[in-house]
Amino acid sequence: MWKQPAPANSSFNEYNTFPLPQTQRGGQSSHAHGPIGHTQQPLVTGTSVLGLKFDKGVMIAADNLASYGSLARFRDIQRLHPLGKHTLLGVAGDMSDFQWLKKELDGLLRSEDALALTDSHPSLSPKNIYELLSNLFYARRSKMNPVWNAVLVGGWDKVKEESFLAYVDLLGTTYTAPTLATGFGAHLAQPLLREAYEAKAGIDGEGPLLTQEEAEKVLDDCMKVLFYRDARSINKYQVATITAGGVTISDSRSADTYWKFAEGLRGYGAQTQ
Amino acid sequence: MALYHNPPMAYAQEPTTAPIEHRFNPYSDNGGSILAIAGSDFSVIAGDTRQSEGYNIQTRYARKVWQLTDKAVLATNGFAADGNNFVKRVKQRLEWYEHAHHKPMGLKSIARMIQTMLYGKRFFPYYVYNILGGIEEDGTGAVYSFDPVGSYEREACRAAGAAQSLIQPFLDNQIYFKNQQPEPGAAPFIPGNLPLGTVLSLVVDSFTSATERHIEVGDGMEIYVVMKRGRTTDDLLGDNKLAPGMTIEELPSLGESVGGVESEGEGQGGERTFLVRQALKRD
């Protein structure tokens, strides 16, 4: 969506390498769209988010980069956002829409918490939050004013005592699976995640799930592959773990990369001839 | 004069004045296929469970077939977000109807309601192909098929979705007996009277074949079987009636006993719905 390569002859730049004033924002396009500013294209974007279920919960990983087109503009952005004790969002796509989303959801959770103070008001489950997000995204796409994100919702369902992992995007498309990935991750990481998941759980998912250590190792590997091949990624990422005990978000970390192979290759680095 | 003519390729050098418009596209196609076949006293509604976008499999299990009432099942195919939200609104309307009239909506009324709801969004359509199957008020099995803007008709069978072009000709041949001739002196073919076992085999063969030849079809299959009240279930629940690897469950009745009146005397309840699942190839 926001990362498909543009055709070479296109005068439109999918990666938004034009400075801001030259881009076609809603409201100032050549056609009379009216004064309402709709997100017609993403501007500052985050790339892939990965999600993986393991035996005691679910993990979500995303790197720390917010790109401005091909410019690595903000290199210390957290794209993992906890909501309450047992839910976490991993967000790709437009980062200003993400910031708006955080504000809205935090506000909602605050009022829910206020109710819980005086009443035996149950807190919002991951399923509740996901349902809300799905309805919001679908309603906004139906108004032709999309929230330009793809979101992974990870959580722990306290009632069912099981992990929760689901996807929703700017079209209102929803689905759930034991492994999920957005954007480039859907091409590069999802096959690796499925392979690792099915190696233990089997294709029916009936077998034992990955342990926490195994799951983290798989995600580390996937983030490394993404850094190697996704030009809009950065080697600095965080992994969130959601279990019955709550949400923990790791410090930013880097994958060990290996570039020695490049020395003998023409086309990589300085040429001697 | 010829000197002043523009050189032949001059227009090619002119700058393009209008910028290329990149409008937000609110639709997507999530692949998959559905089909329904009506029998004389039952109806079969089936769909695969793969959800995809382009070459990506988004999930191997996403529901496309929905039980609406005890005698109606709806299958949706096309843009999954529209499909899910359309089903949500249909179910809401059915609930309102039940509160207003103290009875579930009949199949042909659901069909007409669906056409109204689809046409209501004629100028921003639900990008969804619907097939409604179930038991009519006269006890016959029925299938209604719809286009995204509400055109609909009752049929004996219908396939829709990614593999429609693969499955529908097969159904035309096997259900409507198209391009077939009875033996000389034999009775003529009568469509819509096939036994349940034959229909189930046709459904399974349709989906396994579509899985082989269409990349957007596969992973799993859900077959809903709606049976007329009082009909025997031996041809579904009997020994060795299902192929190995198939699982079956009976879905509990959705009918709320309004005003404490349960069944109407006969003691054998109303229509029964069964859900048969089978795995499909995942490649």
Side-chain angles (χ1 to χ4, degrees):
Chain A
M1 267 163 279
W2 45 87
K3 287 196 287 75
Q4 296 303 314
N9 61 349
S10 167
S11 71
F12 175 81
N13 189 335
E14 288 262 12
Y15 296 115
N16 309 312
T17 46
F18 299 129
L20 186 61
Q22 287 174 32
T23 56
Q24 290 251 318
R25 299 293 280 174
Q28 36 172 288
S29 90
S30 53
H31 297 271
H33 273 311
I36 307 157
H38 290 176
T39 309
Q40 302 288 351
Q41 53 158 307
L43 214 57
V44 178
T45 59
T47 185
S48 322
V49 183
L50 311 180
L52 173 62
K53 283 192 177 184
F54 66 100
D55 57 2
K56 292 189 177 63
V58 57
M59 273 183 212
I60 292 187
D63 72 17
N64 291 113
L65 178 64
S67 305
Y68 179 62
S70 57
L71 174 69
R73 181 65 182 81
F74 303 106
R75 293 145 60 96
D76 192 21
I77 294 293
Q78 187 173 118
R79 299 196 287 126
L80 304 173
H81 182 66
L83 288 168
K85 270 200 72 181
H86 293 283
T87 311
L88 178 128
L89 307 184
V91 182
D94 191 274
M95 288 295 106
S96 46
D97 279 355
F98 171 44
Q99 290 180 345
W100 173 83
L101 208 57
K102 278 198 291 195
K103 191 191 85 186
E104 292 289 307
L105 291 169
D106 286 349
L108 174 76
L109 256 76
R110 213 154 34 235
S111 51
E112 287 285 314
D113 282 351
L115 288 172
L117 286 176
T118 56
D119 205 347
S120 61
H121 189 74
S123 58
L124 290 174
S125 69
K127 182 92 200 298
N128 296 148
I129 290 171
Y130 177 62
E131 203 74 35
L132 183 135
L133 273 177
S134 308
N135 289 335
L136 172 75
F137 276 64
Y138 184 74
R140 283 283 296 268
R141 87 98 216 186
S142 300
K143 291 174 189 157
M144 292 298 278
N145 182 18
V147 185
W148 214 292
N149 297 112
V151 180
L152 295 192
V153 181
W156 180 262
D157 190 322
K158 282 193 290 185
V159 180
K160 288 195 214 159
E161 301 212 310
E162 62 185 28
S163 56
F164 181 90
L165 180 60
Y167 170 101
V168 59
D169 69 12
L170 71 169
L171 289 174
T173 305
T174 55
Y175 49 90
T176 121
T179 65
L180 287 176
T182 74
F184 245 106
H187 296 100
L188 296 176
Q190 179 72 294
L192 303 171
L193 293 171
R194 284 183 183 156
E195 187 175 45
Y197 181 84
E198 286 170 11
K200 277 191 86 179
I203 57 169
D204 53 3
E206 298 290 321
L209 300 191
L210 298 167
T211 65
Q212 183 161 345
E213 293 73 30
E214 288 167 333
E216 201 154 346
K217 168 78 168 58
V218 173
L219 283 178
D220 284 335
D221 287 347
C222 289
M223 292 308 285
K224 172 150 71 183
V225 170
L226 282 168
F227 172 62
Y228 275 136
R229 285 295 174 180
D230 178 1
R232 303 290 171 269
S233 70
I234 199 172
N235 192 9
K236 185 176 164 194
Y237 63 93
Q238 287 167 287
V239 178
T241 310
I242 306 104
T243 61
V247 178
T248 42
I249 301 176
S250 78
D251 290 337
S252 292
R253 62 171 91 147
S254 297
D256 287 327
T257 50
Y258 178 82
W259 298 101
K260 281 279 169 54
F261 70 93
E263 281 174 7
L265 286 180
R266 242 185 111 77
Y268 266 101
Q271 300 300 311
T272 51
Q273 178 260 320
Chain B
M1 285 299 280
L3 280 176
Y4 296 98
H5 272 289
N6 287 327
M9 290 300 287
Y11 62 89
Q13 272 87 53
E14 280 174 22
T16 319
T17 43
I20 297 170
E21 274 285 321
H22 275 254
R23 251 175 82 78
F24 167 64
N25 176 198
Y27 293 115
S28 177
D29 183 354
N30 297 107
S33 241
I34 52 172
L35 83 84
I37 300 172
S40 58
D41 54 0
F42 65 88
S43 190
V44 174
I45 306 94
D48 70 331
T49 66
R50 175 175 293 180
Q51 182 175 310
S52 58
E53 188 168 34
Y55 290 131
N56 289 120
I57 295 173
Q58 295 181 318
T59 179
R60 298 191 189 278
Y61 182 78
R63 182 175 286 236
K64 274 200 278 292
V65 192
W66 315 84
Q67 190 189 20
L68 298 178
T69 67
D70 282 352
K71 47 179 99 173
V73 172
L74 180 64
T76 60
N77 197 245
F79 175 34
D82 270 353
N84 293 333
N85 282 279
F86 181 69
V87 169
K88 196 190 261 184
R89 304 193 73 157
V90 168
K91 284 183 170 172
Q92 188 178 49
R93 292 284 296 269
L94 292 174
E95 189 180 327
W96 291 347
Y97 181 98
E98 199 158 330
H99 288 312
H101 301 285
H102 301 286
K103 64 172 187 188
M105 198 185 287
L107 191 69
K108 71 173 195 288
S109 310
I110 298 177
R112 176 61 68 87
M113 185 188 73
I114 287 174
Q115 104 81 212
T116 318
M117 292 174 68
L118 289 170
Y119 195 81
K121 272 174 65 69
R122 173 62 181 79
F123 299 108
F124 185 17
Y126 288 112
Y127 182 47
V128 177
Y129 289 86
N130 286 290
I131 301 178
L132 177 71
I135 303 295
E136 207 66 270
E137 251 146 43
D138 64 3
T140 56
V143 165
Y144 291 89
S145 69
F146 301 80
D147 83 350
V149 289
S151 304
Y152 79 114
E153 62 176 329
R154 187 179 164 180
E155 297 177 290
C157 73
R158 170 60 70 183
Q164 181 188 35
S165 58
L166 282 73
I167 299 175
Q168 189 66 53
F170 174 62
L171 260 32
D172 288 343
N173 180 244
Q174 293 294 311
I175 306 283
Y176 288 117
F177 306 108
K178 292 282 164 65
N179 300 302
Q180 293 199 70
Q181 241 111 48
E183 292 271 320
F189 296 126
I190 304 165
N193 273 320
L194 291 174
L196 178 57
T198 312
V199 169
L200 275 180
S201 307
L202 291 174
V203 171
V204 172
D205 288 351
S206 296
F207 276 98
T208 47
S209 307
T211 301
E212 291 291 336
R213 285 290 186 171
H214 201 114
I215 56 168
E216 292 172 3
V217 180
D219 291 331
M221 172 169 59
E222 289 185 330
I223 310 171
Y224 286 71
V225 183
V226 191
M227 288 186 178
K228 178 187 178 179
R229 65 172 55 195
R231 183 192 187 279
T232 176
T233 56
D234 293 346
D235 50 358
L236 187 62
L237 302 178
D239 292 339
N240 301 319
K241 291 296 177 191
L242 294 177
M246 282 180 146
T247 60
I248 184 165
E249 62 180 293
E250 178 164 5
L251 300 177
S253 168
L254 295 172
E256 293 157 46
S257 50
V258 179
V261 185
E262 188 51 74
S263 57
E264 282 127 43
E266 290 153 333
Q268 49 194 0
E271 283 70 18
R272 298 173 74 181
T273 305
F274 299 88
L275 170 53
V276 182
R277 295 175 204 266
Q278 197 197 33
L280 290 173
K281 285 168 78 171
R282 295 151 55 92
D283 52 7

